[in-house]
Amino acid sequence: MSKKEAPNYKMEPKLRKTFYIPSLNGIRALAFILVYLSHVGLGHIIPGGFGVTVFFFLSGYLITTLLRMEYEKTSSISLKHFYLRRTYRIFPPMYITLLVGVLFSIVGLSSKEFDTAGLIAQMLHFTNYYLILVGSDGLVPSTSIYWSLAIEEHFYLVFPLALLSLIKGKSYKTIATALTFLCVLVLVWRCILVLGFDISHNYTYHASDTRLDSLIFGCILGLWGNPMLEKNSFLDQQGSTLKMSVIILTCCGAILFCFLFRNEVFRETFRYSIQGIALLPLFYYAIKQSHWKIFSILEYAPIKWIGILSYTLYLSHLLALSLAGSILWDNPSPILKACIAFLIALLFSVVMYKFVEKPFARLRKRLHDS
């Protein structure tokens, strides 16, 4: 796309200097809460996997929005700056938490041990395929959640480069259409694996090649109908508040159907696609119409604070549950264990935010931001 075509996707003036989406921290918090409740023993009724899908979608939307803003401002995308931002933001909490898991295992706070191959796989962002090929036994105890980080890192090795190659000659809508076609291909690939080769849940749930569409759906929203960068999206043209409410309810119903319909073939093929499509309008209205009462919880102070800490909470919550289990050796109360583990993870995340995440953010700005 030439710079002259960019005004079709006008950015709100205030976003040219600063970029903050209040409801996103609330969405992060709710996604983490789903994951956490699932892992404390409520997985049979709480869809923790959907929380991960929401994280994927949010990541795709946010990264694409930032890249698009950079292009509209500079007529280019700096791959160097993109990967530096990822390095400063993602790697310090990830590797520190992994080190804590290693220390837990060494001092005997975990009943499981890890091996060198598992640790290297996690350090090099191949946790997901290690889980598929070997299992969780060789991984650092209570850090198997790193599989989802591996998917994101695999995707972001390729996506910015692909976007840079397309954005200079194509419209946002054309790129979004191409990404939609890619989502269809991923769905077809899952169907081939499940129906043609009887591939199990372990692969379709954890593999980058079967889950990348959850990120791509977020990228599509970042490019076409972006609620922060476009004043007149097609979703704003649906008519009255009543019609928009019907869209929201329909999307919620589609997601609920994915929770309740337990057919294994459906769950490992169409489930992720339906959830991704349903999240498009839900994210749009949660951001654009954040003043609606239905979305007001996303901006409650405690929810926002959990959202700010959600990355480290996500990384550390299984370790916290393991430590809480050691503390409560003679008291197996799952509720008490869940509460103590949450407090441990919260304290760890606050410390990481203050002494690791914020200093590294300042360091990046000082060394690399112009």
Side-chain angles (χ1 to χ4, degrees), residues 2-3 6-7 9 11 13-19 65-78 167 172 229 369-370:
S2 67
K3 195 169 182 179
Y9 304 92
M11 192 188 310
K14 64 180 180 179
L15 292 176
R16 297 185 184 275
K17 294 183 178 180
T18 184
F19 181 71
T65 299
L66 292 172
L67 291 175
R68 175 177 161 179
M69 289 173 59
E70 180 182 354
Y71 177 74
E72 292 181 354
K73 182 179 179 180
T74 67
S75 299
S76 184
I77 293 174
S78 172
I167 201 168
Y172 295 142
L229 305 184
D369 285 7
S370 57

Side-chain angles (χ1 to χ4, degrees), residues 1 67 70-71 74-80 158-170 175:
M1 172 185 287
L67 291 175
E70 180 182 354
Y71 177 74
T74 67
S75 299
S76 184
I77 293 174
S78 172
L79 297 177
K80 174 185 174 182
V158 178
F159 178 72
L161 182 61
L163 182 62
L164 179 61
S165 66
L166 292 172
I167 201 168
K168 293 184 178 181
K170 307 292 183 181
I175 300 171

Side-chain angles (χ1 to χ4, degrees), residues 102-210:
V102 169
L103 294 176
F104 271 29
S105 181
I106 292 174
V107 302
L109 287 175
S110 172
S111 59
K112 293 185 178 181
E113 298 181 353
F114 65 93
D115 57 41
T116 303
L119 177 60
I120 292 175
Q122 290 183 277
M123 293 179 65
L124 298 181
H125 312 292
F126 285 101
T127 308
N128 59 335
Y129 287 108
Y130 188 93
L131 275 171
I132 293 168
L133 297 173
V134 181
S136 62
D137 288 343
L139 297 175
V140 175
S142 302
T143 59
S144 59
I145 198 73
Y146 278 44
W147 70 267
S148 59
L149 274 71
I151 291 177
E152 291 200 18
E153 292 309 308
H154 298 165
F155 182 73
Y156 289 123
L157 280 175
V158 178
F159 178 72
L161 182 61
L163 182 62
L164 179 61
S165 66
L166 292 172
I167 201 168
K168 293 184 178 181
K170 307 292 183 181
S171 69
Y172 295 142
K173 183 177 180 179
T174 299
I175 300 171
T177 302
L179 291 178
T180 301
F181 179 69
L182 183 56
C183 288
V184 174
L185 290 181
V186 175
L187 170 60
V188 171
W189 176 236
R190 284 198 298 264
C191 289
I192 291 173
L193 291 175
V194 173
L195 297 174
F197 296 95
D198 197 26
I199 297 296
S200 68
H201 162 84
N202 188 42
Y203 189 92
T204 54
Y205 184 73
H206 293 112
S208 299
D209 51 285
T210 56

Side-chain angles (χ1 to χ4, degrees), residues 49-62 147-152 156 205-206 211-219 279 283 314:
F50 178 66
V52 177
T53 299
V54 172
F55 274 129
F56 283 158
F57 187 104
L58 188 153
S59 182
Y61 167 72
L62 184 58
W147 70 267
S148 59
L149 274 71
I151 291 177
E152 291 200 18
Y156 289 123
Y205 184 73
H206 293 112
R211 294 301 307 274
L212 62 87
D213 56 336
S214 295
L215 287 126
I216 296 174
F217 279 115
C219 298
L279 284 173
F283 260 76
Y314 181 76

Side-chain angles (χ1 to χ4, degrees), residues 352-363:
M352 288 281 284
Y353 179 72
K354 183 175 181 179
F355 296 106
V356 177
E357 294 183 57
K358 291 184 72 174
F360 268 96
R362 290 194 295 266
L363 180 64

